[in-house]
Amino acid sequence: MTTKNIHGKVIELLRGDIANQPDMDCVVNAANAQLRTGGGVAGAIHRAAGPELEEECRPLAPIRPGEAVITAAYNLPNRYVIHCLGPVYGSDKPEADLLAACYRNALRLAEENNIESITFPAISTGAFGYPVEEAARVALRTILGELPGLSTVKKIRFVFFHPSDLKTHEQVLEKLGKE
Ligand code: ADP
């Protein structure tokens, strides 16, 4: 696990389950365009939230790569879920811009809703095939770039299923800190 204080904000990287983040205001869903349940992160979030989440999502769908929408969290231990559609690697282009837009749009919605703490998964690195190290560079560079402009958001956490993904993100964050 890594904790860093940057621009007065806390950045945390740790292993964990996106559906079990009880100390955070908001969790981010690596959603599909239809905002339905599925595998990976979307499955975990919808299973834990219950069927009302899909009901609230239905009129908001479809969303496009890079877009984000916000809903209540129902049976999840959070106030909100922000649903982001990441790019499918090799097909939604330019991937890096679309992935960066996910993180920027999620943080914009967080600020608009007075959210103080938000947990992200590694968007697009599962079923959507984005190589983890490349995705980590885009995600962490975007977050670091947004930090000075944030006012309500005080804590940003990334959770990873695989220990190797945590390690990769820790190494990338370390490198970005030296740039
Ligand atoms: P995408 O379709 O955007 O690629 P996935 O949900 O398939 O999204 O995977 C995104 C990342 O989240 C992958 O690295 C995957 O290992 C990880 N992951 C899957 N389930 C969970 C979970 N419950 N909590 C945190 N991370 C998860």
Side-chain angles (χ1 to χ4, degrees), residues 3-178:
T3 304
K4 286 203 185 296
N5 269 281
I6 310 174
H7 290 290
K9 317 288 187 308
V10 178
I11 308 279
E12 292 180 347
L13 308 180
L14 48 104
R15 274 187 76 195
D17 180 355
I18 194 73
N20 185 20
Q21 300 291 313
D23 57 330
M24 302 297 274
D25 289 340
C26 172
V27 290
V28 174
N29 183 12
N32 48 63
Q34 297 304 325
L35 302 175
R36 299 220 179 97
T37 187
V41 168
I45 283 184
H46 279 276
R47 264 194 310 278
E52 284 168 304
L53 180 60
E54 263 196 349
E55 264 168 51
E56 185 179 351
C57 282
R58 202 167 298 133
L60 304 175
I63 62 170
R64 287 183 309 238
E67 287 185 343
V69 294
I70 188 164
T71 66
Y74 301 97
N75 294 332
L76 281 161
N78 316 100
R79 282 164 56 213
Y80 297 104
V81 179
I82 293 178
H83 309 258
C84 292
L85 180 60
V88 175
Y89 194 77
S91 100
D92 296 320
K93 292 187 186 280
E95 288 105 347
D97 292 353
L98 294 170
L99 187 58
C102 285
Y103 289 97
R104 267 198 303 274
N105 284 325
L107 289 174
R108 176 182 52 77
L109 287 174
E111 289 275 311
E112 286 170 8
N113 289 276
N114 286 318
I115 286 166
E116 288 187 16
S117 53
I118 180 168
T119 301
F120 286 95
I123 298 169
S124 283
T125 65
F128 286 1
Y130 213 120
V132 172
E133 189 173 343
E134 229 177 292
R137 261 186 251 123
V138 174
L140 293 168
R141 193 175 272 143
T142 304
I143 297 284
L144 293 180
E146 293 295 309
L147 285 184
L150 298 177
S151 55
T152 72
V153 175
K154 308 270 189 277
K155 186 193 271 198
I156 300 175
R157 176 182 294 164
F158 276 86
V159 293
F160 308 100
F161 236 31
H162 303 293
S164 61
D165 293 347
L166 170 60
K167 197 160 186 63
T168 302
H169 282 75
E170 287 176 330
Q171 287 165 347
V172 167
L173 184 60
E174 206 51 44
K175 272 192 215 140
L176 290 176
K178 290 179 189 145

